[in-house]
Amino acid sequence: MEEHETRNAPCAGLRIGDEAPDFSARSTTGNIQLSDYRGKWLILFSHPADFTPVCTTEFVALAREAGEFEKRNCELMALSVDSLFSHFAWLRMIRDRFDLEVRFPIIEDPTLVIGTAYGMVAPKDNDSATVRTTFFIDPDGIIRAMTCYPANVGRSTPEMLRMLDALMAVDKEAALAPANWHPGDPMLRQPTANLDDVFAAEGETDWFLAETSTEGGK
Ligand code: BEZ
Protein backbone atom coordinates (compact mmCIF):
# COMPACT_ATOMS: atom_id res chain seq x y z
CA MET A 1 0.00 0.00 0.00
CA GLU A 2 1.26 3.48 -0.86
CA GLU A 3 1.91 5.84 2.06
CA HIS A 4 -1.01 8.15 1.12
CA GLU A 5 -3.35 5.15 0.98
CA THR A 6 -2.30 4.04 4.47
CA ARG A 7 -2.95 7.53 5.81
CA ASN A 8 -6.36 7.65 4.20
CA ALA A 9 -7.58 4.13 4.99
CA PRO A 10 -10.61 4.02 7.29
CA CYS A 11 -9.68 5.07 10.82
CA ALA A 12 -5.98 5.17 9.88
CA GLY A 13 -5.81 8.86 8.97
CA LEU A 14 -5.75 10.12 12.54
CA ARG A 15 -4.60 8.71 15.85
CA ILE A 16 -5.75 8.92 19.44
CA GLY A 17 -4.18 12.06 20.94
CA ASP A 18 -4.25 14.02 17.66
CA GLU A 19 -6.04 17.33 17.51
CA ALA A 20 -9.24 16.88 15.48
CA PRO A 21 -8.70 18.74 12.18
CA ASP A 22 -10.85 21.85 12.02
CA PHE A 23 -13.30 22.32 9.16
CA SER A 24 -16.32 24.34 8.20
CA ALA A 25 -19.26 22.74 6.42
CA ARG A 26 -22.94 22.99 5.57
CA SER A 27 -25.21 20.90 7.73
CA THR A 28 -28.88 20.29 8.42
CA THR A 29 -28.66 22.78 11.32
CA GLY A 30 -26.72 25.47 9.42
CA ASN A 31 -23.04 26.18 8.85
CA ILE A 32 -20.71 24.42 11.24
CA GLN A 33 -17.17 25.14 12.37
CA LEU A 34 -15.72 22.21 14.28
CA SER A 35 -13.60 24.43 16.53
CA ASP A 36 -16.78 26.13 17.79
CA TYR A 37 -17.45 22.91 19.71
CA ARG A 38 -14.50 23.41 22.07
CA GLY A 39 -15.60 23.17 25.70
CA LYS A 40 -17.93 20.23 24.97
CA TRP A 41 -17.49 16.59 24.16
CA LEU A 42 -18.26 15.82 20.54
CA ILE A 43 -19.01 12.57 18.74
CA LEU A 44 -18.31 13.05 15.03
CA PHE A 45 -19.42 10.07 13.00
CA SER A 46 -19.76 9.11 9.36
CA HIS A 47 -22.36 6.89 7.74
CA PRO A 48 -22.30 5.32 4.27
CA ALA A 49 -25.48 6.80 2.84
CA ASP A 50 -28.88 8.32 3.59
CA PHE A 51 -31.95 6.15 2.94
CA THR A 52 -30.20 2.88 3.77
CA PRO A 53 -31.51 0.37 6.32
CA VAL A 54 -28.74 0.11 8.91
CA CYS A 55 -28.02 3.86 8.84
CA THR A 56 -31.69 4.59 9.41
CA THR A 57 -31.72 2.37 12.52
CA GLU A 58 -28.58 4.12 13.82
CA PHE A 59 -30.11 7.59 13.43
CA VAL A 60 -33.35 6.49 15.06
CA ALA A 61 -31.42 4.96 17.98
CA LEU A 62 -29.23 8.05 18.42
CA ALA A 63 -32.15 10.48 18.19
CA ARG A 64 -34.01 8.46 20.85
CA GLU A 65 -30.99 8.74 23.18
CA ALA A 66 -30.26 12.41 22.36
CA GLY A 67 -31.09 13.40 25.95
CA GLU A 68 -28.46 11.00 27.33
CA PHE A 69 -25.75 12.64 25.22
CA GLU A 70 -26.99 16.08 26.23
CA LYS A 71 -26.78 15.13 29.94
CA ARG A 72 -23.10 14.37 29.36
CA ASN A 73 -22.45 17.76 27.67
CA CYS A 74 -21.79 15.85 24.44
CA GLU A 75 -22.90 16.94 20.97
CA LEU A 76 -23.50 14.56 18.09
CA MET A 77 -22.43 15.43 14.53
CA ALA A 78 -23.02 13.13 11.55
CA LEU A 79 -21.47 13.24 8.09
CA SER A 80 -21.90 11.58 4.70
CA VAL A 81 -21.27 12.37 1.05
CA ASP A 82 -24.99 12.88 0.41
CA SER A 83 -26.28 16.37 -0.34
CA LEU A 84 -27.97 18.60 2.20
CA PHE A 85 -31.28 18.06 0.37
CA SER A 86 -30.91 14.30 0.60
CA HIS A 87 -30.26 14.70 4.36
CA PHE A 88 -33.39 16.86 4.68
CA ALA A 89 -35.54 14.35 2.78
CA TRP A 90 -34.21 11.46 4.90
CA LEU A 91 -34.86 13.32 8.17
CA ARG A 92 -38.35 14.16 6.98
CA MET A 93 -38.96 10.46 6.22
CA ILE A 94 -37.60 9.47 9.67
CA ARG A 95 -39.87 11.99 11.34
CA ASP A 96 -42.94 10.80 9.45
CA ARG A 97 -42.19 7.08 9.82
CA PHE A 98 -40.81 6.98 13.38
CA ASP A 99 -42.36 10.12 14.88
CA LEU A 100 -38.86 11.28 15.81
CA GLU A 101 -36.98 14.46 14.92
CA VAL A 102 -33.24 14.12 14.35
CA ARG A 103 -32.03 17.49 15.61
CA PHE A 104 -28.28 16.93 15.67
CA PRO A 105 -26.46 18.21 12.55
CA ILE A 106 -25.73 16.07 9.51
CA ILE A 107 -22.95 17.50 7.38
CA GLU A 108 -22.85 17.22 3.59
CA ASP A 109 -19.38 16.30 2.34
CA PRO A 110 -19.83 15.87 -1.43
CA THR A 111 -16.17 16.53 -2.24
CA LEU A 112 -15.02 14.16 0.54
CA VAL A 113 -12.65 16.80 1.81
CA ILE A 114 -13.61 16.12 5.45
CA GLY A 115 -14.05 12.38 4.98
CA THR A 116 -10.56 12.13 3.51
CA ALA A 117 -8.95 14.22 6.27
CA TYR A 118 -10.53 11.93 8.87
CA GLY A 119 -9.82 8.65 7.04
CA MET A 120 -13.54 7.94 6.70
CA VAL A 121 -13.31 6.69 3.12
CA ALA A 122 -11.91 3.36 2.01
CA PRO A 123 -9.42 4.22 -0.79
CA LYS A 124 -9.96 1.02 -2.75
CA ASP A 125 -13.75 1.02 -2.51
CA ASN A 126 -15.37 1.46 -5.88
CA ASP A 127 -17.76 4.01 -4.46
CA SER A 128 -17.08 7.11 -2.45
CA ALA A 129 -19.27 6.30 0.55
CA THR A 130 -17.80 6.84 3.98
CA VAL A 131 -17.67 3.84 6.32
CA ARG A 132 -19.02 3.88 9.88
CA THR A 133 -16.24 5.74 11.68
CA THR A 134 -16.83 7.38 15.04
CA PHE A 135 -14.51 9.94 16.66
CA PHE A 136 -14.82 10.82 20.34
CA ILE A 137 -13.41 14.35 20.67
CA ASP A 138 -12.84 15.91 24.08
CA PRO A 139 -13.55 19.51 25.14
CA ASP A 140 -9.97 20.50 24.15
CA GLY A 141 -10.52 19.23 20.61
CA ILE A 142 -8.38 16.10 21.07
CA ILE A 143 -9.37 12.73 19.57
CA ARG A 144 -9.69 10.39 22.55
CA ALA A 145 -11.11 7.27 20.88
CA MET A 146 -12.30 6.10 17.50
CA THR A 147 -14.14 3.12 16.11
CA CYS A 148 -14.63 1.79 12.61
CA TYR A 149 -17.52 -0.49 11.66
CA PRO A 150 -18.35 -1.96 8.26
CA ALA A 151 -21.37 -0.83 6.27
CA ASN A 152 -23.35 -3.96 7.15
CA VAL A 153 -23.10 -3.72 10.99
CA GLY A 154 -24.70 -0.91 12.95
CA ARG A 155 -23.06 0.76 15.93
CA SER A 156 -24.23 0.32 19.53
CA THR A 157 -25.61 3.46 21.16
CA PRO A 158 -25.13 2.02 24.69
CA GLU A 159 -21.46 1.39 23.85
CA MET A 160 -21.07 4.97 22.57
CA LEU A 161 -22.47 6.23 25.89
CA ARG A 162 -20.31 3.81 27.85
CA MET A 163 -17.18 4.97 26.01
CA LEU A 164 -18.07 8.57 26.77
CA ASP A 165 -18.66 7.75 30.45
CA ALA A 166 -15.37 5.85 30.64
CA LEU A 167 -13.37 8.66 29.01
CA MET A 168 -14.85 11.18 31.44
CA ALA A 169 -14.24 8.90 34.43
CA VAL A 170 -10.58 8.22 33.61
CA ASP A 171 -10.02 11.98 33.35
CA LYS A 172 -11.80 12.69 36.64
CA GLU A 173 -10.27 9.87 38.68
CA ALA A 174 -6.86 9.60 36.96
CA ALA A 175 -7.68 5.89 36.96
CA LEU A 176 -8.25 3.09 34.44
CA ALA A 177 -11.56 1.64 33.23
CA PRO A 178 -11.48 -2.18 33.14
CA ALA A 179 -13.29 -4.43 30.69
CA ASN A 180 -17.07 -3.96 30.66
CA TRP A 181 -16.80 -1.01 33.04
CA HIS A 182 -19.92 1.07 33.67
CA PRO A 183 -20.39 4.16 35.88
CA GLY A 184 -20.37 3.14 39.53
CA ASP A 185 -18.15 0.10 38.97
CA PRO A 186 -14.68 0.05 40.54
CA MET A 187 -11.83 1.48 38.50
CA LEU A 188 -8.23 0.33 38.42
CA ARG A 189 -5.17 2.12 39.78
CA GLN A 190 -2.39 3.15 37.45
CA PRO A 191 0.33 0.49 37.91
CA THR A 192 3.49 1.57 39.66
CA ALA A 193 6.63 2.32 37.70
CA ASN A 194 8.82 1.85 40.77
CA LEU A 195 10.57 -1.47 41.57
CA ASP A 196 10.50 -0.82 45.33
CA ASP A 197 6.69 -0.63 45.14
CA VAL A 198 6.62 -3.89 43.18
CA PHE A 199 8.61 -5.71 45.90
CA ALA A 200 6.67 -4.00 48.71
CA ALA A 201 3.24 -4.95 47.35
CA GLU A 202 1.39 -7.47 49.51
CA GLY A 203 -0.25 -9.65 46.89
CA GLU A 204 1.51 -11.03 43.86
CA THR A 205 -0.47 -8.87 41.43
CA ASP A 206 -1.31 -5.87 43.62
CA TRP A 207 1.43 -3.68 42.15
CA PHE A 208 -0.18 -3.68 38.69
CA LEU A 209 -3.75 -4.98 39.12
CA ALA A 210 -5.66 -3.25 41.91
CA GLU A 211 -8.87 -1.31 42.24
CA THR A 212 -8.96 2.30 43.35
CA SER A 213 -10.65 2.96 46.66
CA THR A 214 -13.39 5.12 45.08
CA GLU A 215 -16.22 4.08 42.81
CA GLY A 216 -15.62 5.58 39.42
CA GLY A 217 -17.68 7.90 37.31
CA LYS A 218 -20.63 8.61 39.63
C1 BEZ B 1 -27.08 0.32 5.38
O1 BEZ B 1 -27.01 1.32 6.11
O2 BEZ B 1 -27.96 -0.51 5.50
C2 BEZ B 1 -26.02 0.10 4.34
C3 BEZ B 1 -25.31 1.16 3.83
C4 BEZ B 1 -24.36 0.94 2.84
C5 BEZ B 1 -24.14 -0.35 2.39
C6 BEZ B 1 -24.84 -1.42 2.96
C7 BEZ B 1 -25.80 -1.18 3.93
Side-chain angles (χ1 to χ4, degrees), residues 48-49 52-56 132 151-152:
T52 51
V54 177
C55 296
T56 302
R132 294 184 203 286
N152 52 3

Side-chain angles (χ1 to χ4, degrees), residues 51-129:
F51 293 101
T52 51
V54 177
C55 296
T56 302
T57 62
E58 285 188 328
F59 276 68
V60 168
L62 285 166
R64 286 200 172 123
E65 294 294 338
E68 288 299 315
F69 290 96
E70 205 176 313
K71 268 191 224 162
R72 291 160 173 82
N73 191 31
C74 177
E75 300 282 340
L76 296 167
M77 187 187 288
L79 175 148
S80 82
V81 299
D82 302 282
S83 73
L84 188 61
F85 299 105
S86 167
H87 293 335
F88 283 149
W90 190 37
L91 296 192
R92 168 74 200 232
M93 182 282 289
I94 289 174
R95 194 210 53 187
D96 294 350
R97 165 73 176 75
F98 296 94
D99 195 22
L100 194 64
E101 292 188 358
V102 175
R103 287 293 183 171
F104 55 81
I106 310 180
I107 290 168
E108 64 167 1
D109 187 25
T111 60
L112 283 171
V113 69
I114 304 167
T116 304
Y118 277 80
M120 292 166 164
V121 189
K124 291 217 165 119
D125 273 4
N126 45 20
D127 67 40
S128 57

